[in-house]
Amino acid sequence: MIKQLMHAPVFLVGSRRGKEKHDVTFNQIKQLFAFETQGKYCAEILFSVNESTKFNFCWMGKTSDDAGEDVYWFGLTPDGKYAFDYPTFEEFSTVKVFDGKSLFEMWDDITVLEINGCDPIEMLTMYLSKRD
């Protein structure tokens, strides 16, 4: 079930990094989103869907709501019409928000541009090394 996002993310006008291709795996994103937000931390990922004019500047992330519960979310278009949130990573990654396909199904066509405003590989290396 697709749920409308309680609050749409702020969209930037352009990426500082451009559309560089980074080798980010679905498993790395799953590991990144496994962190505890503790009611104060978040992750925001800027991405695009290759060869798509509709999903060419998108956001996904994890934060916590006012009650301190984790929220996984998408902001797929700058106008906020495709902004959704989900209570679990499982639902977030399997709901079909990309014109009938899920994040998991689309992963090979996704280019991660930034994580928290920085280079994706650098951020994943830092975040995932702290989990060991």
Side-chain angles (χ1 to χ4, degrees), residues 13-30:
V13 175
S15 170
R16 290 182 296 258
R17 307 227 176 268
K19 290 203 172 196
E20 299 171 14
K21 178 68 174 166
H22 295 283
D23 293 325
V24 176
T25 67
F26 181 80
N27 191 47
Q28 287 173 312
I29 295 301
K30 185 176 180 177

Side-chain angles (χ1 to χ4, degrees), residues 15-127:
S15 170
R16 290 182 296 258
R17 307 227 176 268
K19 290 203 172 196
E20 299 171 14
K21 178 68 174 166
H22 295 283
D23 293 325
V24 176
T25 67
F26 181 80
N27 191 47
Q28 287 173 312
I29 295 301
K30 185 176 180 177
Q31 289 175 12
L32 174 65
F33 281 172
F35 78 96
E36 296 296 326
T37 60
Q38 301 174 5
K40 59 183 176 181
Y41 300 111
C42 68
E44 294 184 348
I45 299 171
L46 174 63
F47 69 99
S48 66
V49 177
N50 303 335
E51 308 301 322
S52 173
T53 57
K54 183 177 181 180
F55 303 118
N56 61 4
F57 192 75
C58 306
W59 291 90
M60 66 176 136
K62 180 181 178 184
T63 191
S64 55
D65 62 16
D66 292 339
E69 298 295 320
D70 288 341
V71 176
Y72 302 84
W73 56 267
F74 288 111
L76 301 179
T77 58
D79 62 11
K81 290 182 181 178
Y82 292 91
F84 311 101
D85 65 359
Y86 304 94
T88 66
F89 182 81
E90 180 68 25
E91 187 176 352
F92 164 80
S93 64
T94 59
V95 69
K96 297 181 183 297
V97 296
F98 297 97
D99 292 334
K101 292 187 179 181
S102 70
L103 178 68
F104 180 77
E105 293 168 322
M106 292 293 297
W107 192 257
D108 289 341
D109 293 323
I110 288 178
T111 297
V112 174
L113 303 169
E114 296 178 0
I115 297 177
N116 289 348
C118 298
D119 179 79
I121 301 304
E122 289 176 17
M123 290 292 97
L124 284 170
T125 300
M126 182 184 75
Y127 290 135

